[in-house]
Amino acid sequence: MSFAEKIGALMARPNDDLVNKDEVPWWLKYSARGLGTVGGGLALFLGIFNIITSFLTFSCILAGIMQAIVAFTVLAIEAPCCCMFVDYVQDASNYVEKRPYWNRAAYYMLGALIPFFMCFSFSIFFGSGLIFATGVLYGMMALGKKASSEEMRNNAATVYSTNQQFPPAAASNSNLVEGAQPVSFSNPFDSRV
């Protein structure tokens, strides 16, 4: 058993299939889960820290509360074993696992931006930044696997062969508009007017 398989077995969920259903690399999947777990824990701590240290600033207290709530949901989704004292966390985590990756990316990014715009402090910036970075990783996973260069080259050739009316961009006679006249340069300092 390789090191990657051992790490995969440790990070696997209880009812998780061992067959990769989508074409997301294993390292991206586990790095998003790890960053979500660590980032959610740190953001929860920093949100509570911001609530305690914000004196008489209602917007910063509210931003700390919102960051703590978003961090708890991120932690519950990414590592339900950390929140097993709360009922139905595993069911909610399983429900989110069945959803597409862009749902998680949108929630994490939006949930991280709202406290950041309410109050700018180091604890909000760092905690929300970790949650936002997790959302970025899930957004990359939602985009899917990049095609190989040969496949992209074949697709470009197919598109060009079906649209013969458009010449390639590198051609010297390429115009954006049919019948357009070439642009001439006139010197504004020319005295022959």
Side-chain angles (χ1 to χ4, degrees), residues 166-178:
F166 298 112
S172 62
N173 61 355
S174 176
N175 289 328
L176 293 176
V177 179
E178 290 294 323

Side-chain angles (χ1 to χ4, degrees), residues 73-185:
T73 57
V74 168
L75 195 60
I77 290 169
E78 297 300 325
C81 61
C82 296
C83 305
M84 65 178 123
F85 54 88
V86 180
D87 293 338
Y88 305 111
V89 167
Q90 186 66 43
D91 296 335
S93 178
N94 289 339
Y95 174 74
V96 172
E97 284 293 321
K98 294 175 187 170
R99 307 290 303 158
Y101 290 128
W102 70 266
N103 292 132
R104 255 192 272 192
Y107 175 73
Y108 291 171
M109 291 170 136
L110 185 68
L113 286 178
I114 292 173
F116 178 73
F117 287 126
M118 292 178 74
C119 174
F120 186 77
S121 67
F122 175 74
S123 59
I124 296 292
F125 178 74
F126 189 65
S128 293
L130 290 172
I131 294 173
F132 190 83
T134 305
V136 167
L137 287 178
Y138 276 109
M140 288 173 46
M141 289 167 49
L143 288 176
K145 186 178 177 183
K146 180 182 167 188
S148 67
S149 61
E150 186 65 33
E151 185 178 346
M152 287 190 282
R153 197 174 297 120
N154 289 338
N155 286 342
T158 304
V159 168
Y160 177 66
S161 67
T162 57
N163 290 333
Q164 286 296 325
Q165 62 186 2
F166 298 112
S172 62
N173 61 355
S174 176
N175 289 328
L176 293 176
V177 179
E178 290 294 323
Q181 298 296 320
V183 177
S184 63
F185 177 73

Side-chain angles (χ1 to χ4, degrees), residues 21 26 51 57 113 116 124 169 188 191:
K21 295 177 185 171
W26 65 270
I51 294 168
T57 309
L113 286 178
F116 178 73
I124 296 292
S191 61

Side-chain angles (χ1 to χ4, degrees), residues 35-80:
L35 183 62
T37 303
V38 172
L42 282 173
L44 182 63
F45 172 74
L46 291 173
I48 293 170
F49 177 75
N50 194 46
I51 294 168
I52 294 170
T53 59
S54 295
F55 297 110
L56 303 174
T57 309
F58 180 72
S59 62
C60 286
I61 293 172
L62 189 60
I65 291 170
M66 289 186 68
Q67 181 176 341
I69 290 171
V70 170
F72 179 76
T73 57
V74 168
L75 195 60
I77 290 169
E78 297 300 325

